[in-house]
Each structure stands twice: as structure tokens, then as C-alpha cells.
Amino acid sequence: MASQTIVDALLLGILEGLTEFIPVSSTGHILLAGHFLGFESTGKAFEVLIQLGAILAILSVYFARLWSMLVSLPSDRGTQYFVGGILLAFLPAAVIGYLAHDFIKTVLFETPVLICTTLVLGGIVLLWVDSWALNPRYDDVTKFPWKVYLGIGLFQCLAMIPGTSRSGSTIVGALLLGTDKRSAAEFSFFLAMPTMVGAFALDLFKNMDILTAADLPIIATGFVAAFVVAVIVVRGLLNFVSKRGYALFGWWRIAVGLAGFAALAVWG
């Protein structure tokens, strides 16, 4: 990774921040872009570790609300219920991610055709769900039933396949389970925190022995770029999906997937 340029890391960091919290698959975008840029990170760690920038973006935007939750957690039943729901939703991905980590990184991350396929299929699913005349039953992320929290967590496991999208899986799952569009996106934000922290910690632990000092400037560049861009995206996304829905992101996924197929056919 030391041979890669700062410019590559900057571009990939911007791409991470732009795509992490919208349902288009940040990992799929970064892996495809890295493939065509010739970017090879040590242990495929860069692609996961720069997600810390996106995590901190969420923490900065939601800091006041998170602090309020932390203060009230010991005594407030509503806060305890919501935090329990987040942890319940996080549990399936934590277990499967730990057990399948090596297979995901060494096989699925190395298959651009799979990524393009899941981008297109996921786009079709997103368009299909967005076109439904849904009658949402839940609009408050803090009061979803336990079965909804768990169901969203099970849907999140689909994102182990690169190109599927963590946020896309959780948002589609939430919509199918009866939430409205805004609360689906908002819960995806909250669920991202333990999920991405867990992925970051596991990947850092797995790659600690092979990362070198030469890797740090590349990772730091991607991290900072991801943070700045993700803050902008998070601040505007909830209002956008409340008014416009998710169709734009469905078409986006299909366009990127088809462009990826075409590029693979030409350049390999």
C-alpha cells in the first residue's frame, strides 16, 4: 500500500464519505474504483479502516442526541429500550461477520463481477420497494417493536456481500417491516455506529501484524476525506429521502453496476 499515491487515497476517501450512508454500497464503489485505479491495500484494510471517518461523522452530527442518551441511559426506560434495540439489531452481523471475516475479505472482496451484479440487483430491489404504496406503521426509531429491530439486523447481514450495501439492506428491511422512509434511514445511521466500529476493530486486529508505518499516511488521508464528505451527506440525507424517496439511489446503483460490467469487459 505504501506505493499508492495520496491522490488515490483522497479520491477513495471522498467516495467512502459520499456513499457510506446512502443505499448504494460504499464498499462496492471503493473496491471497483480501487480495481480500476490499480489500488492494492495491505490486507484490504484501507477499505474498512477509513470507515472510521464516516463513523466520526455520525458521532459529530448526532453528538447532542447521543450525549443525552448516554446521560439518561441509567434511569430512562425509553432510552434503555432503544439502546437494547440497536444492540439486538447489531448482534446478527457481529456473529456472522466474525465467523466469515476471512472468506469475505479474501474471496468476496476480490470478485468485481459479483460486486457489479449485486449493485444492479440491489438497485432493482430499491426501485421496486420505493415504488410500493407502503402504509408505514412505525415512524419513531426509538419505539420499533423488538421483532422489527431484529428483522432489520438480519437484513443487515446481506451486506456481507460487497455491493449489496449495509445502509441499503437495513433501509429496505426497515421499509418492508413497516417503517416510514425517514425513520428507516435514521435507524440505519444509529445501527451503523456499533456495526462499523465492530468492523473497524476486527479488521484492525486481523491486520495489525501486516500494516506498516508506510500505510498510515494513505489511511489517514482516506479517513479525513471520508469524515468531511460524510458529515455533509448525513446532514442532508434525511430531508432528501423524506421528500424524494430512494429511487435516485436505485438508478445510481444500476448505472454504476452496468458501467462496471462495461469497464471489466474492456479493461478486465
Side-chain angles (χ1 to χ4, degrees):
M1 188 159 62
S3 64
Q4 304 304 316
T5 69
I6 294 295
V7 174
D8 289 340
L10 179 63
L11 291 174
L12 293 174
I14 291 171
L15 193 58
E16 161 65 23
L18 179 64
T19 58
E20 180 59 52
F21 298 111
I22 61 177
V24 300
S25 179
S26 62
T27 302
H29 279 67
I30 290 173
L31 290 174
L32 281 179
H35 175 79
F36 294 116
L37 287 171
F39 185 91
E40 289 291 337
S41 67
T42 304
K44 289 292 182 184
F46 173 90
E47 291 81 353
V48 174
L49 297 182
I50 64 168
Q51 291 180 354
L52 180 61
I55 299 168
L56 293 182
I58 282 281
L59 293 176
S60 67
V61 171
Y62 278 86
F63 178 79
R65 187 168 177 181
L66 292 170
W67 180 255
S68 176
M69 289 172 57
L70 180 64
V71 171
S72 63
L73 183 60
S75 58
D76 185 75
R77 295 290 294 274
T79 302
Q80 292 167 359
Y81 179 87
F82 181 44
V83 171
I86 294 172
L87 295 177
L88 179 63
F90 165 65
L91 186 59
V95 173
I96 295 176
Y98 177 78
L99 295 176
H101 176 271
D102 293 342
F103 175 76
I104 293 167
K105 295 296 291 292
T106 60
V107 177
L108 299 184
F109 270 39
E110 301 287 351
T111 315
V113 171
L114 172 65
I115 296 170
C116 293
T117 301
T118 52
L119 281 170
V120 172
L121 292 178
I124 294 171
V125 170
L126 202 57
L127 289 172
W128 174 58
V129 172
D130 193 65
S131 68
W132 281 12
L134 296 172
N135 184 24
R137 302 186 298 279
Y138 314 112
D139 59 9
D140 185 343
V141 295
T142 67
K143 297 178 180 178
F144 291 170
W146 289 110
K147 64 180 181 180
V148 173
Y149 289 128
L150 179 59
I152 295 172
L154 292 172
F155 269 95
Q156 181 173 240
C157 294
L158 296 173
M160 304 293 175
I161 305 170
T164 303
S165 171
R166 188 206 59 80
S167 59
S169 299
T170 55
I171 287 170
V172 167
L175 292 174
L176 293 176
L177 291 167
T179 76
D180 70 349
K181 293 177 180 178
R182 183 183 181 91
S183 64
E186 188 173 22
F187 187 71
S188 180
F189 289 166
F190 279 102
L191 183 54
M193 297 180 205
T195 302
M196 293 167 65
V197 167
F200 174 89
L202 178 60
D203 215 78
L204 184 61
F205 173 75
K206 292 277 188 176
N207 291 286
M208 185 76 73
D209 293 338
I210 59 176
L211 290 172
T212 67
D215 297 323
L216 296 182
I218 305 296
I219 294 173
T221 300
F223 159 81
V224 173
F227 170 78
V228 173
V229 177
V231 167
I232 298 170
V233 171
V234 170
R235 289 187 182 279
L237 183 61
L238 292 181
N239 287 335
F240 179 88
V241 299
S242 296
K243 298 174 182 177
R244 303 285 296 275
Y246 295 100
L248 173 64
F249 305 121
W251 290 115
W252 176 338
R253 292 177 62 104
I254 292 170
V256 172
L258 293 178
F261 277 127
L264 288 171
V266 174
W267 293 295

